[in-house]
Amino acid sequence: MTRRRGQLAHARMFDSFKDVTAVNADGIMRESGMDFRVDHRHLVYYANGEDKHAFSHKAIINAEDSGLLGVVGKDYRIVDNQTVCNAAMNIAESLNGRINKAGTMHSKSYAKGSRIGFHSDLGGFDVGGDEMRKQMFITSSHDGSSSLTIRLAVFRLICTNGMMAFDDSVGNCIKIRHKGNIRMAISKAISKIRLAEGFFTKTRHDLERMRTREIHIQDTVRFAERLFPKTKTAKTGDRLVVTPQTAHKRSRIVELYKEQDLPRRDVYRLYQAATEYVDHDRTIRIRKSSDVGSTAFDNITAGTGNNLKKRAYELCMEMSE
C-alpha cells in the first residue's frame, strides 16, 4: 500500500545510482550492476485444462537470473543495456563530459534492473555568484513504463544539494519509444540532442534575466496563487476553492522566498524558492524503502515535481518580461 513519507527528494535521487570510474561500456555496466543480458519469453496461461500462449504480450527477463523485468506488448522492442550505455557515452563525450553515475532501478513490482539510468556532469557556469552545473540524464525501461529518454538539465549547487532548472521548449528532452528501428532512432536523437546544447546558454540567459526584475512581497503571493490554483473537491462539486493543503503550499513558497540566502529581492530568488520547495520541502510518495531512490529520481526528472518546476519556470519568465 502506498504511504506518505517526507523525503529530501534531491538528496535521495541518486540512491539507486553508483559512482563509476570506468571509461568503457563494459566497465560502466559492471560497476553499476548493469552487466546482464535482457531477453524475452512467451507468456503461458492455463485454460480449459491446458497451457496456452498469450500472443498479445511477452515477458522481459534478466537472462542471467531469470528475474522478471516486465510484461509488455508483442510489438515492444528490447533496448539492451549496452545500447543505452553506448548512447549515453557518445552524447556525454560529444558534450565534453563523461558518464560518472549509473544504476539499476525498481519499477512497480518488477525486479531491480527493470529500469536503468546514466548521469553525466558537463561542466558549469555562474549566475549571480551561484554555481550551476550542466547535467545529462539518459534513462530507459525494460517494463514498458517509459521510453528511452535523453534529458539535459541544470543543477544549482547549494551546500551538498542542488536544484534543477527546466525549459523543455528548446528540445532538451528527447524520448524514443521501444518500437521500430531503435538504432536509427537513437542515432537521430544523438544528433538532435547535440544541437540542444544551446539549452544551457538559453537557461543561463533566462536566469540572468530573472535577476534583473525586482519584485515585492505581493508579487510572490500572486506567484504562489498561480502556481497552486484553486481546485475542485468532492464537497464543493464544480466550485473552485482553496483547500487547506493548497493554502499551506502557497504560504510555504512565500516563506521560502523570504528565507532565501540571496541579497536581491528578484524573480530569480522566487524561482529558487519554488525549486527548493519541490526538491527539499515537498513530500513524495513511495511504495517501500527500496524504492526511495527511483521514486525521488522520477519525481525530480519526470514526475509531478518536474512539472511544478517547469510551471514555476514559465511563470518566472513571464514575470521577467
Side-chain angles (χ1 to χ4, degrees), residues 40-193:
H40 72 273
R41 294 285 186 273
H42 293 297
L43 287 175
V44 178
Y45 65 97
Y46 187 76
N48 299 323
E50 60 180 335
D51 292 336
K52 295 185 177 181
H53 286 290
F55 294 106
S56 61
H57 288 77
K58 58 188 176 184
I60 305 299
I61 66 164
N62 179 330
E64 311 302 326
D65 61 12
S66 297
L68 180 62
L69 302 178
V71 176
V72 298
K74 63 179 181 179
D75 295 327
Y76 176 91
R77 295 287 301 276
I78 292 175
V79 183
D80 61 87
N81 296 347
Q82 176 109 33
T83 297
V84 182
C85 185
N86 287 339
M89 292 179 62
N90 192 324
I91 296 173
E93 289 171 3
S94 70
L95 299 177
N96 299 315
R98 58 173 293 274
I99 301 301
N100 60 318
K101 294 181 185 292
T104 56
M105 297 179 282
H106 293 83
S107 67
K108 296 182 180 179
S109 57
Y110 299 122
K112 187 175 183 180
S114 56
R115 298 172 60 231
I116 61 175
F118 300 85
H119 167 265
S120 176
D121 185 280
L122 305 174
F125 56 87
D126 178 272
V127 175
D130 285 345
E131 183 182 358
M132 304 287 177
R133 302 302 301 180
K134 300 185 290 185
Q135 311 282 304
M136 179 197 72
F137 296 94
I138 294 187
T139 56
S140 188
S141 72
H142 297 305
D143 64 353
S145 63
S146 63
S147 304
L148 192 165
T149 303
I150 307 166
R151 187 187 298 275
L152 301 181
V154 173
F155 278 14
R156 174 193 177 211
L157 295 188
I158 304 176
C159 298
T160 58
N161 295 325
M163 292 176 285
M164 281 196 251
F166 279 112
D167 178 4
D168 284 349
S169 66
V170 289
N172 61 302
C173 180
I174 298 176
K175 297 183 178 182
I176 302 170
R177 299 184 65 189
H178 288 240
K179 292 185 177 182
N181 191 326
I182 300 294
R183 293 187 182 279
M184 182 179 293
I186 290 176
S187 178
K188 291 181 178 179
I190 289 174
S191 299
K192 189 175 180 181
I193 204 71

Side-chain angles (χ1 to χ4, degrees), residues 250-283:
R250 290 178 175 181
S251 63
R252 189 64 184 134
I253 289 291
V254 177
E255 289 173 6
L256 289 171
Y257 168 76
K258 294 177 180 178
E259 294 170 4
Q260 282 287 312
D261 187 22
L262 294 169
R264 295 166 58 89
R265 299 280 179 174
D266 52 28
V267 176
Y268 174 80
R269 179 173 182 160
L270 180 58
Y271 175 65
Q272 301 306 339
T275 55
E276 181 177 354
Y277 169 78
V278 173
D279 289 350
H280 294 260
D281 201 77
R282 181 170 168 265
T283 298

Side-chain angles (χ1 to χ4, degrees), residues 13 135 137 150-155 163-170 172-173 199 202-203 206-207 210 271 275 278-279 297-303 305-315 317:
M13 71 175 295
Q135 311 282 304
F137 296 94
I150 307 166
R151 187 187 298 275
L152 301 181
V154 173
F155 278 14
M163 292 176 285
M164 281 196 251
F166 279 112
D167 178 4
D168 284 349
S169 66
V170 289
N172 61 302
C173 180
F199 155 76
K202 182 179 184 301
T203 298
D206 287 350
L207 295 175
M210 290 181 193
Y271 175 65
T275 55
V278 173
D279 289 350
F297 183 85
D298 287 344
N299 186 275
I300 285 181
T301 60
N306 176 55
N307 292 336
L308 269 175
K309 281 183 290 188
K310 286 168 60 179
R311 175 59 176 159
Y313 197 97
E314 293 166 357
L315 291 174
M317 288 305 300

